Every structure is written in C-alpha cells, then in structure tokens.
Amino acid sequence: MLVMTLCIATNAYAEYLIGQGQFKSYAASDGTWKRVSVDEMYQFIGILLYMSVAQYSSYIRYWSKDGLYKLNPVQNIMSRRRFQSLLAFVQITPPADVDKSRYTCRSIVHVINQPAVQ
C-alpha cells in the first residue's frame, strides 16, 4: 500500500509540473508523463538501495558501458533518463494531501499508524 501511495503521489506531482510547462525534458515524446507503476517503483527503490551499498564516484557510472562496471545490474533494470525523472518527481504524498500549515503528511502517517496485516 505504501508503494502504491508513492506511485500515485509521484504521478500526480509529475503530471502537474509537466502540465505547467516545467521539467519538459522528463516528459515522453508526446509531452506527457509516463506513469510509474508499482513494479517500476520497486525497481527504483531497489536501485537506490543498491547505490547505497555499491558506491561509485558518480551516479552516472551505474550506467557506464566501461568493462570495469560490466557486472553492475542497474543499467539492465532502468534507463538513466527514467531514473533521473523518477528521482526528480518522487513524492510521498500528492500535493493536495500536504497540510501546509503544520507541514505534516497525512497519507503517510495514516499508512504508518495502521496495524500490520499478518
């Protein structure tokens, strides 16, 4: 459920900004946002976790074709452009769910406060 919330929030934020004419370089060829799916969000999170363990001098090296990095799985999972676009837009809650007066995120708090389903 939490990853689905990430997808909804990220898609809403990206569509809003791209619709406002910002970050057009992350839009698809037709000028729209390619919506992130739950599976793709898991891949994105996995890449971030991998990057925290296998640290290179630059994040661009994870997509390098150099033989030194040939065992790196990242380039086979997601393109660098898509990774950069998700990194630019990833959100925890949709803009409408943010309580700006107290800077609390109601959606994420609701998910965390729910008891774990066994």
Side-chain angles (χ1 to χ4, degrees), residues 17-31:
L17 288 180
I18 290 172
Q20 296 294 314
Q22 300 176 37
F23 298 99
K24 285 290 193 181
S25 62
Y26 294 131
S29 58
D30 64 355

Side-chain angles (χ1 to χ4, degrees), residues 3-118:
V3 174
M4 177 62 79
T5 301
L6 286 171
C7 291
I8 292 167
T10 300
N11 288 329
Y13 186 60
E15 289 167 355
Y16 171 76
L17 288 180
I18 290 172
Q20 296 294 314
Q22 300 176 37
F23 298 99
K24 285 290 193 181
S25 62
Y26 294 131
S29 58
D30 64 355
T32 62
W33 170 248
K34 180 183 179 278
R35 296 177 68 82
V36 62
S37 67
V38 171
D39 288 339
E40 190 177 28
M41 186 59 77
Y42 274 117
Q43 291 172 341
F44 176 74
I45 293 168
I47 290 171
L48 291 174
L49 291 172
Y50 178 80
M51 288 176 162
S52 72
V53 175
Q55 298 180 357
Y56 297 162
S57 60
S58 168
Y59 82 95
I60 294 171
R61 297 248 190 254
Y62 293 95
W63 286 272
S64 174
K65 301 290 185 197
D66 189 315
L68 182 62
Y69 304 102
K70 67 181 178 183
L71 297 177
N72 173 17
V74 172
Q75 59 191 334
N76 297 325
I77 296 170
M78 184 179 290
S79 73
R80 181 171 49 127
R81 183 175 185 274
R82 183 61 173 169
F83 177 81
Q84 288 173 312
S85 65
L86 291 177
L87 192 60
F89 295 123
V90 70
Q91 294 289 303
I92 295 174
T93 58
D97 285 353
V98 176
D99 180 355
K100 293 181 179 144
S101 65
R102 296 179 12 173
Y103 297 101
T104 58
C105 301
R106 289 181 290 230
S107 293
I108 194 76
V109 171
H110 176 72
V111 169
I112 291 171
N113 285 334
Q114 287 183 342
V117 178
Q118 301 272 1

